[in-house]
Amino acid sequence: FLGLCYLSINFNLLANHQLRAFSLEERLLTEGRIVFDYLRKLLLIPPYDFGVFFDDFKLSRSLLSPPSTVLALAGLGLLLGTALKWREKAPFFAFGILWFFAGHALESTVLPLELYFEHRNYLPSFGILLGGGFGVRELAAATPKLSRLYPALALSGLLIAGSLTWQQPRLSGDSLTQAVVWALEKPHSHRAQERAGVMLALAGYREPARETFARISLQFPESANGPVLLLYLKCLNEVVEADAGKH
């Protein structure tokens, strides 16, 4: 409520969308899909897509472009409505869902921030884990057959999450391999490709770096980063000697 009051007084903050590649309406539409993607990763624990570059996330131009926009917004609306309806019968479940939405109310709505950053989901995810855990526990208590599977399901979730947590630092310990893996996983991410090229150049792999920067120049012609990085690579490859008597 205080945040809304502040924005009503400082409405010019929302005008900064003109500095972005999307409008306020497009941001709100896209954030519906992004928040739903946060949920997908949290609940399904996919064994991939753990990078930090998400600048390749497709922008929503309308409710049907892409069609997943309206489905994501409908799903989030159904989840929010369910939490409000069950707030008295299942308070822990409702609290968890509402905590999740409250946690995303600032950075995943109207402020002209970049679209996708997983760190925004750290605190809100506590609500999903708490509410989901209590919800499954109550369901297991009411269903004898499921109650026998509950410990096995809980242990499986811990093992999967634990194994992925163990694997990620191994990748992070090798910056070059990490950059190359992220670039392969994100072929349309400008930042992932740039980082891979820079890390290759610093490691002495100048020709693969040159190919990467040249590809960036062709793939993202609206950006000057590709040509600038090619120039940077040329500076690494050549030694330019200045005449001390003239300077």
Side-chain angles (χ1 to χ4, degrees):
F1 176 74
L2 292 175
L4 289 174
C5 291
Y6 180 80
L7 286 175
S8 66
I9 299 173
N10 299 275
F11 190 76
N12 60 307
L13 289 175
L14 303 182
N16 288 334
H17 278 88
Q18 61 188 341
L19 303 177
R20 297 292 187 183
F22 47 83
S23 65
L24 173 59
E25 294 78 11
E26 289 172 336
R27 173 180 171 77
L28 290 173
L29 290 172
T30 307
E31 286 299 331
R33 291 170 42 235
I34 290 173
V35 172
F36 204 85
D37 199 53
Y38 292 152
L39 278 173
R40 175 188 67 85
K41 290 184 177 180
L42 184 63
L43 297 176
L44 299 181
I45 320 180
Y48 56 87
D49 201 11
F50 282 98
V52 297
F53 302 114
F54 296 96
D55 51 301
D56 59 339
F57 197 86
K58 187 176 181 180
L59 193 66
S60 290
R61 302 293 182 180
S62 68
L63 285 174
L64 297 177
S65 178
S68 56
T69 304
V70 68
L71 296 177
L73 292 173
L76 293 176
L78 179 62
L79 188 61
L80 179 60
T82 302
L84 292 173
K85 182 178 179 180
W86 287 84
R87 66 186 184 278
E88 294 183 358
K89 293 183 178 179
F92 275 104
F93 171 77
F95 170 79
I97 301 303
L98 295 175
W99 176 282
F100 174 78
F101 280 104
H104 282 293
L106 182 64
E107 293 181 302
S108 299
T109 52
V110 297
L111 295 181
L113 306 172
E114 293 200 30
L115 293 173
Y116 198 129
F117 273 113
E118 283 194 330
H119 68 256
R120 298 173 184 170
N121 199 40
Y122 291 169
L123 187 60
S125 65
F126 170 76
I128 297 297
L129 297 174
L130 178 69
F134 272 94
V136 174
R137 181 177 179 274
E138 292 298 317
L139 183 62
T143 310
K145 291 183 178 180
L146 185 58
S147 63
R148 302 190 192 99
L149 295 176
Y150 180 72
L153 292 174
L155 181 60
S156 298
L158 288 174
L159 289 175
I160 293 172
S163 64
L164 293 175
T165 303
W166 175 72
Q167 289 177 7
Q168 289 307 306
R170 296 179 63 196
L171 180 62
S172 301
D174 185 344
S175 299
L176 175 60
T177 301
Q178 182 190 62
V180 172
V181 169
W182 285 353
L184 291 174
E185 290 181 347
K186 297 281 186 175
H188 303 294
S189 168
H190 194 296
R191 292 173 180 171
Q193 301 306 312
E194 281 185 19
R195 175 172 170 77
V198 170
M199 295 305 297
L200 286 167
L202 293 177
Y205 298 99
R206 303 294 168 79
E207 183 56 27
R210 188 198 66 78
E211 294 175 356
T212 300
F213 295 151
R215 185 170 63 252
I216 291 174
S217 300
L218 294 175
Q219 189 174 1
F220 306 99
E222 73 284 353
S223 173
N225 289 17
V228 169
L229 287 170
L230 283 171
L231 180 61
Y232 159 75
L233 185 62
K234 187 175 182 180
C235 292
L236 290 179
N237 289 336
E238 298 180 5
V239 178
V240 181
E241 297 181 355
D243 187 347
K246 297 180 180 180
H247 299 279

